[in-house]
Amino acid sequence: RQYTSHAMAEILRDNGITQSMSRKGNCWDNAVVERVFATLKGEWLYSKYPTRQEAAADIEQFVNWYNHRRLHSANGLVPPALREVQVA
């Protein structure tokens, strides 16, 4: 329920994020982020981190790598950030 609250919608709006939710029982809106998390857990995170800051820094590196360097077969082997530039 927290994701459908007015407070959450306001936070997203204030940060320029478009909230997207499909009807109940339809998982397609969540598929992309689930793929990202599966890659993060399966290809990137190999150990526990001594501090929260070290984990956050490593995850930030992952997001940069995932968006700018990792080749995605669904994008014709182009990273998402580059694909966005090509489509725009």
Side-chain angles (χ1 to χ4, degrees):
R1 290 193 186 267
Q2 68 268 27
Y3 298 113
T4 60
S5 71
H6 292 293
M8 180 63 151
E10 186 176 334
I11 290 169
L12 294 173
R13 191 173 38 255
D14 290 348
N15 287 283
I17 299 170
T18 302
Q19 189 173 20
S20 174
M21 291 183 288
S22 58
R23 68 188 180 283
K24 185 177 180 180
N26 186 346
C27 62
W28 299 113
D29 281 349
N30 204 32
V32 174
V33 76
E34 290 295 337
R35 179 67 239 153
V36 172
F37 284 134
T39 303
L40 172 65
K41 292 187 281 186
E43 295 181 24
W44 196 266
L45 301 178
Y46 298 107
S47 62
K48 297 195 184 272
Y49 296 93
T51 68
R52 183 181 183 110
Q53 290 78 15
E54 288 179 67
D58 196 39
I59 292 170
E60 187 174 332
Q61 283 184 321
F62 165 79
V63 170
N64 185 53
W65 168 80
Y66 191 90
N67 286 325
H68 298 278
R69 300 192 64 210
R70 185 176 187 269
L71 304 179
H72 293 254
S73 59
N75 288 342
L77 297 178
V78 173
L82 182 56
R83 178 70 176 157
E84 286 295 318
V85 171
Q86 291 174 345
V87 173

